[in-house]
């Protein structure tokens, strides 16, 4: 695996000339950036800019929304010698090809703590042949702790994934400038928050959750983190669809009662004293169960995963997909990327609720260690994967989800109307 070589210390200055020297012999394979089809850079937002040593050259490095670009810094000749005034092709790596990042340190035998910081190492995934991948590395050398920390945190944020349903639901897009403008203009939006608990034990806060297909697909993606975020999610969705199977569940829920509607009925004398305590229960085989307190707008669902849900009305959307054929379920998934009603299928049921309890029947599906998408073994039996705001949560028993109206205030505004442009998922 080729690696760059360390040289002298590089300062963290900005605003230097952007020129490039010929590639060194120990460079990362030129297939990374030799293609003439470079990512568009004119309209991209620049996230960071600084100086790193790359393959013994001091380089002006620019991190944008889609790519990492760099050019060696060439000293200017006071005599204006023309032979030094040559232009070179810019080198770059697309961010979708980076699957991991680590701080590069020098360790000694007797050292117990982290060694001297050398810089940052990027792990890159390349297409070797049509259906084969290989990995490589690129070292960004800089001895400044603060400088490397800023870049490292930005890379980790990018590699964490592209799904930020809260930012999309608040701003219509996951974009730093848009969020900053909301802060400057003082747009404050109260937002409902859910609590997740099991057998009286608090698990976490969240805004959305998926059990079944959504949880299994995320569990598969987490086992292939060497891929880029988009690649591993496409791979996980396809594999989860190939091994599509339902979960035997019992679902209890408390229907949502609009406070305004309750006041009106109370004034008319038609409100039953026990209307808030009428839990309902359904059971059977379900391919997917979604519980969402916000619309969950994202790039593959421009109308939202739960388009009829609001940010602060004290309700959650319970969306249930009962067992059906694979082609029908795929049609349901594809509808999320269009303006058509994704719930207009006989096997899909929707409810507006205040609380939900999902109780999986672990003896129905069992656990096969050979199956990557099956439940995971724990000390107490099989656990089931949940997708909570894009994070994997594994629970072996019943999960109780409860909404807390307007629990937090965030900068932003509710997106009642979204762009109706058709966005498709490349894996379907």
């Amino acid at each position: 695996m080729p690696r760059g070589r360390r040289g002298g210390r590089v300062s963290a200055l900005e605003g230097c000339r952007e020129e490039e020297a010929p590639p060194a012999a120990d460079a990362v394979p030129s297939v990374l950036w030799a293609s003439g089809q470079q990512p568009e850079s004119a309209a991209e937002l620049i996230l960071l800019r600084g100086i790193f040593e790359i393959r013994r050259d001091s380089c002006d490095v620019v991190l944008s929304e889609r790519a990492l670009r760099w050019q060696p810094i060439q000293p200017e000749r006071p005599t204006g010698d023309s032979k030094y005034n040559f232009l070179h092709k810019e080198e770059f790596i697309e961010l979708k090809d980076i699957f991991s990042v680590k701080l590069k340190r020098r360790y000694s035998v007797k050292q117990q703590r982290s060694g001297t910081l050398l810089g940052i190492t990027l792990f890159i995934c390349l297409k070797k042949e049509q259906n084969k991948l290989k990995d490589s590395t690129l070292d960004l050398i800089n001895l400044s702790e603060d400088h490397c920390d800023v870049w490292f945190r930005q890379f980790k944020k990018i590699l964490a994934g592209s799904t930020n349903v809260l930012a999309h639901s608040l701003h219509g897009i996951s974009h730093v400038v848009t969020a900053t403008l909301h802060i400057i203009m003082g747009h404050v939006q109260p937002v409902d928050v859910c609590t997740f608990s099991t057998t009286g034990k608090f698990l976490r806060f969240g805004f959305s959750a998926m059990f079944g297909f959504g949880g299994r697909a995320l569990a598969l993606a987490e086992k292939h983190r060497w891929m880029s975020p988009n690649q591993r999610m496409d791979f996980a969705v396809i594999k989860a669809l190939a091994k599509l199977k339902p979960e035997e569940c019992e679902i209890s829920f408390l229907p949502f009662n609009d406070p305004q509607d309750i006041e009106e009925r109370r004034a008319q004398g038609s409100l039953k004293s026990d209307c808030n305590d009428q839990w309902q229960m359904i059971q059977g085989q379900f391919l997917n169960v979604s519980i969402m307190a916000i619309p969950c707008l994202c790039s593959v669902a421009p109308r939202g995963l739960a388009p009829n849900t609001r940010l602060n009305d004290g309700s959650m959307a319970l969306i249930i997909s009962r067992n059906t054929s694979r082609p029908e379920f795929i049609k349901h998934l594809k509808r999320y990327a269009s303006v058509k009603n994704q719930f207009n299928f006989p096997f899909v049921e929707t409810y507006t609720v205040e609380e939900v309890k999902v109780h999986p029947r672990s003896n129905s599906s069992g656990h096969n260690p050979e199956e990557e998408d099956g439940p995971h073994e724990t000390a107490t039996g099989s656990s089931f994967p949940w997708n909570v705001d894009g994070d994997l949560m594994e629970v072996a028993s019943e999960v109780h989800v409860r909404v807390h109206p307007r629990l937090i205030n965030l900068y932003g505004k509710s997106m009642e109307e979204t762009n109706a442009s058709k966005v498709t998922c490349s894996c379907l």
Side-chain angles (χ1 to χ4, degrees):
M1 182 181 296
R3 293 181 178 272
R5 291 180 292 180
R6 188 181 65 84
R9 177 170 180 166
V10 181
S11 64
L13 301 177
E14 297 184 1
C16 300
R17 289 186 59 187
E18 296 190 3
E19 297 179 355
E20 180 181 0
D26 61 344
V28 179
S30 59
V31 67
L32 279 173
W33 46 79
S35 170
Q37 298 179 346
Q38 298 189 13
E40 295 295 331
S41 59
E44 284 187 51
L45 173 68
I46 294 179
L47 304 177
L48 289 174
R49 185 169 188 169
I51 296 177
F52 286 95
E53 179 184 332
I54 302 178
R55 303 190 306 272
R56 289 192 170 184
D57 288 326
S58 295
C59 297
D60 182 12
V61 184
V62 177
L63 176 64
S64 65
E65 293 177 304
R66 298 183 183 180
L68 178 75
R69 294 180 170 84
W70 67 92
Q71 287 185 331
I73 301 169
Q74 298 292 339
E76 294 186 3
R77 291 277 176 168
T79 58
D81 194 339
S82 60
K83 71 177 182 178
Y84 290 97
N85 295 332
F86 51 83
L87 296 176
H88 299 278
K89 191 174 181 180
E90 181 184 63
E91 296 187 73
F92 73 93
I93 297 175
E94 294 189 57
L95 297 186
K96 66 181 180 65
D97 293 328
I98 301 174
F99 65 86
S100 184
V101 59
K102 290 184 179 180
L103 288 174
K104 184 180 180 66
R105 296 182 182 273
R106 182 195 292 118
Y107 297 91
S108 63
V109 177
K110 297 182 180 180
Q111 242 172 345
Q112 296 181 353
R113 296 185 177 181
S114 298
T116 304
L117 178 69
L118 300 179
I120 299 172
T121 297
L122 303 178
F123 296 83
I124 308 154
C125 183
L126 306 174
K127 287 185 178 180
K128 187 177 181 181
E129 296 175 12
Q130 184 175 2
N131 296 318
K132 293 184 179 180
L133 299 173
K134 67 176 181 179
D135 60 356
S136 185
T137 60
L138 179 70
D139 290 328
L140 308 178
I141 304 300
N142 192 302
L143 305 186
S144 169
E145 290 274 358
D146 294 337
H147 189 61
C148 288
D149 182 64
V150 172
W151 281 75
F152 180 73
R153 284 190 284 109
Q154 183 67 55
F155 275 118
K156 294 294 289 186
K157 180 180 177 181
I158 293 171
L159 297 180
S162 57
T163 302
N164 190 336
V165 293
L166 182 58
H168 276 269
S169 297
L170 277 169
H171 310 143
I173 188 173
S174 182
H175 192 252
V176 176
V177 175
T178 302
T180 304
L181 289 174
H182 281 297
I183 296 173
I184 294 173
M185 299 179 71
H187 294 159
V188 178
Q189 173 68 52
V191 180
D192 299 340
V193 181
C194 299
T195 53
F196 296 83
S197 58
T198 179
T199 59
K201 177 184 177 182
F202 173 77
L203 296 174
R204 61 169 291 166
F205 289 99
F207 303 93
S208 64
M210 287 185 283
F211 173 80
F213 173 80
R216 288 178 177 273
L218 180 60
L220 274 169
E222 288 297 305
K223 293 182 178 181
H224 297 80
R225 292 195 65 84
W226 59 273
M227 296 182 180
S228 65
N230 291 337
Q231 287 174 330
R232 66 173 175 261
M233 282 309 302
D234 286 353
F235 167 80
V237 167
I238 292 173
K239 190 161 186 178
L241 285 172
K243 295 186 176 182
L244 185 66
K245 63 180 180 180
E247 292 285 0
E248 185 76 25
C249 295
E250 180 181 288
I251 302 175
S252 303
F253 61 90
L254 184 63
F256 171 69
N257 290 294
D258 191 336
Q260 294 182 354
D261 184 49
I262 292 176
E263 290 299 326
E264 291 178 0
R265 286 186 291 161
R266 181 179 285 114
Q268 297 173 0
S270 60
L271 181 64
K272 295 182 181 180
S273 59
D274 59 347
C275 69
N276 286 329
D277 298 320
Q278 296 298 316
W279 282 81
Q280 298 183 20
M281 190 266 288
I282 54 178
Q283 57 185 355
Q285 292 187 330
F286 306 103
L287 291 176
N288 190 69
V289 179
S290 297
I291 305 167
M292 300 179 175
I294 61 176
C296 295
L297 277 65
C298 57
S299 59
V300 296
R303 295 180 60 247
L305 299 175
N308 297 324
T309 306
R310 297 295 175 259
L311 290 170
N312 60 352
D313 64 353
S315 71
M316 299 184 294
L318 172 62
I319 305 167
I320 298 172
S321 298
R322 290 185 179 269
N323 193 18
T324 187
S325 65
R326 185 181 291 107
E328 287 298 305
F329 186 67
I330 292 176
K331 288 180 183 178
H332 163 60
L333 296 181
K334 284 187 173 182
R335 284 278 185 92
Y336 280 100
S338 70
V339 296
K340 297 180 180 179
N341 183 2
Q342 61 263 47
F343 310 127
N344 189 23
F345 293 91
F347 58 89
V348 178
E349 302 173 15
T350 60
Y351 304 89
T352 304
V353 302
E354 296 178 9
E355 294 184 51
V356 180
K357 296 178 181 179
V358 179
H359 183 69
R361 302 296 186 182
S362 58
N363 60 349
S364 64
S365 60
H367 173 65
N368 184 352
E370 299 299 322
E371 295 184 12
E372 289 185 324
D373 60 338
H376 299 267
E377 285 293 319
T378 64
T380 58
S382 61
S383 62
F384 296 85
W386 284 73
N387 182 339
V388 181
D389 298 334
D391 297 328
L392 183 63
M393 181 179 76
E394 296 184 348
V395 186
S397 58
E398 177 183 276
V399 173
H400 182 188
V401 186
R402 182 182 177 186
V403 65
H404 300 267
R406 304 188 175 198
L407 185 62
I408 60 174
N409 290 323
L410 299 173
Y411 285 104
K413 275 194 172 183
S414 178
M415 298 298 298
E416 302 291 338
E417 300 279 336
T418 60
N419 193 339
S421 60
K422 185 174 181 180
V423 182
T424 59
C425 179
S426 60
C427 63
L428 296 176

